[in-house]
Amino acid sequence: MKSHAKRHGQAGFSLIELTVTMGVMVAVMGVTAGLMADALRTSTITSETTEAQQQVRASHEYINRDLLVAGDGLGSIGSSKIRLPTNFVDGAITSNANDVRVLARGGVNTPYAALPLVTADDAQTRTGAAPGLLAGTDRLTLMTNLPDVGFPVSVPSGVGSYTRPDANTLIFNVPGATSALFRSGEVVLVSSTASGSTVSTLAAVTAVGAGQIRFAGGDPYGLNTPNLPLLTDVVCGAGTPGSAACNSVTVQRVLLITYFVDQNGLLRRRVLGKPRRGAISDAAFAAAAMAGDVVAEHIEEFEVRYGLIAADRTGWEIVDRMTADQEPRVRQVEIMLTAETPHAVLKGGRHAEATSVVRTSVRTMEYRNAL
């Protein structure tokens, strides 16, 4: 018979050894998982914070670009500023208009705001957010000239230059080549100079025909108030369209640019005054213009302040709200923006934030002269 040698060392792991080994592995895996989770959370915070910083930088680039040319080409407006209906100003520009006046014509009083070329809300003095505006944020509005072929357009004074077929319509009678420069739905600046003072208003073109530019009350922007008192006053003062009392007027393209944060935290750039191009209806063109383009997302704070030189030219101050007598002393516009991360990436369910403050110097003499 064959004898079998006894084998040694093959008894395997004991239950205690397996238990200890598995415990060590679980501990190591737990530590590794925790480190991976921390690394992933840190990566997410870094990524989303970087994105928030980029949103702020992009916003400043847009705003600074517009501020640097604020008032460009509009120095001739002078200190009279631009007349706009108060309802439009309150809803689309600012609830803190500095210069509110009343135009009295024919027994009707029309309130209007004399708007400077740069103006802003102040969330600290607003009684409530305007519809569609994120509470606690400001609005910034500025204006600049838009160079366009054929503009500015001059419409001479005299009988026949302006006619009124009904109480709510005013027609500019111009050469056919001039009327061809316009399309309905566009917003233009109409100015006249009488007794050495320039008077201006924004108006919406409601129809264009051969040799005619028509303005009627009830446009989608809210610029042409019933009976067109502001536009009629620019054209004819206390006179009547169709009479020799009317003035020569200049019609030009301008951009009325407003930055605001909507209730979804989107920073939008609304631009009125752009030419209407392509096959788009009047209503769609106006709706798109009033909605504005999205500049940045997840904006939770937008504040505008002014840098003023002291009246005696020896000091400097920053104010949240600019009064009418301070307007000529504006030398800088300060913008503070805060963007938050899309997700709650910090402990306690909090969002990370990125804040930046940029001051832009007023460079154009047109801006200073037209405040």
Side-chain angles (χ1 to χ4, degrees):
M1 296 178 63
K2 293 183 178 179
S3 62
H4 297 279
K6 187 177 180 180
R7 298 180 179 179
H8 300 281
Q10 297 185 15
F13 294 105
S14 67
L15 181 60
I16 295 177
E17 291 173 328
L18 287 173
T19 301
V20 171
T21 302
M22 290 179 65
V24 172
M25 291 179 62
V26 169
V28 171
M29 290 178 64
V31 172
T32 303
L35 291 174
M36 292 180 63
D38 288 342
L40 181 60
R41 182 166 56 252
T42 301
S43 176
T44 301
I45 294 174
T46 301
S47 176
E48 294 206 359
T49 303
T50 300
E51 174 62 23
Q53 292 170 343
Q54 181 58 35
Q55 296 284 345
V56 170
R57 282 195 297 268
S59 301
H60 279 303
E61 288 177 4
Y62 271 94
I63 297 171
N64 290 345
R65 181 185 62 188
D66 287 330
L67 281 173
L68 288 174
V69 296
D72 188 23
L74 299 175
S76 60
I77 293 176
S79 59
S80 65
K81 308 172 189 177
I82 300 163
R83 299 178 174 184
L84 294 177
T86 52
N87 287 341
F88 172 81
V89 172
D90 288 342
I93 297 178
T94 177
S95 54
N96 295 322
N98 287 329
D99 199 351
V100 177
R101 309 176 189 179
V102 175
L103 175 66
R105 290 287 185 269
V108 178
N109 293 332
T110 303
Y112 69 89
L115 196 71
L117 294 184
V118 175
T119 188
D121 262 336
D122 178 17
Q124 302 306 314
T125 59
R126 229 185 294 130
T127 56
L133 190 69
L134 183 65
T137 58
D138 293 346
R139 287 175 290 187
L140 171 69
T141 298
L142 54 94
M143 184 177 292
T144 186
N145 182 50
L146 174 64
D148 199 357
V149 177
F151 286 86
V153 170
S154 179
V155 184
S157 62
V159 178
S161 294
Y162 313 98
T163 55
R164 171 157 273 167
D166 58 69
N168 205 41
T169 305
L170 181 59
I171 295 175
F172 292 9
N173 296 302
V174 296
T178 299
S179 62
L181 298 172
F182 297 83
R183 293 185 66 185
S184 59
E186 296 177 338
V187 173
V188 294
L189 180 70
V190 182
S191 304
S192 69
T193 301
S195 302
S197 177
T198 301
V199 183
S200 305
T201 190
L202 284 173
V205 178
T206 52
V208 178
Q212 288 189 342
I213 308 167
R214 185 179 295 257
F215 301 87
D219 67 285
Y221 307 101
L223 290 169
N224 300 349
T225 52
N227 299 326
L228 308 172
L230 297 179
L231 181 61
T232 302
D233 189 65
V234 169
V235 171
C236 294
T240 303
S243 71
C246 295
N247 307 310
S248 297
V249 303
T250 298
V251 183
Q252 64 189 104
R253 293 200 188 280
V254 297
L255 297 181
L256 182 69
I257 304 170
T258 300
Y259 287 92
F260 65 97
V261 182
D262 69 16
Q263 293 174 327
N264 295 318
L266 300 177
L267 177 64
R268 292 182 175 271
R269 180 177 183 263
R270 174 193 293 139
V271 182
L272 302 185
K274 293 187 294 187
R276 179 180 153 201
R277 312 291 191 195
I280 182 173
S281 67
D282 292 6
F285 179 74
M290 290 299 291
D293 298 322
V294 176
V295 174
E297 300 176 307
H298 310 294
I299 302 297
E300 64 171 6
E301 189 170 4
F302 177 39
E303 183 178 357
V304 183
R305 302 201 299 171
Y306 303 94
L308 309 177
I309 189 170
D312 59 4
R313 308 286 175 171
T314 61
W316 184 263
E317 62 179 320
I318 301 292
V319 297
D320 291 320
R321 183 180 181 186
M322 177 177 60
T323 61
D325 63 317
Q326 291 173 331
E327 289 173 3
R329 297 194 282 117
V330 174
R331 293 297 179 268
Q332 287 184 340
V333 178
E334 178 184 281
I335 306 295
M336 183 177 74
L337 281 162
T338 298
E340 65 178 10
T341 56
H343 305 99
V345 294
L346 301 180
K347 293 181 179 180
R350 295 181 295 113
H351 293 253
E353 297 178 348
T355 299
S356 176
V357 178
V358 173
R359 293 177 180 173
T360 303
S361 297
V362 176
R363 295 187 177 182
T364 58
M365 289 306 297
E366 287 87 349
Y367 169 81
R368 296 184 184 181
N369 292 337
L371 275 170

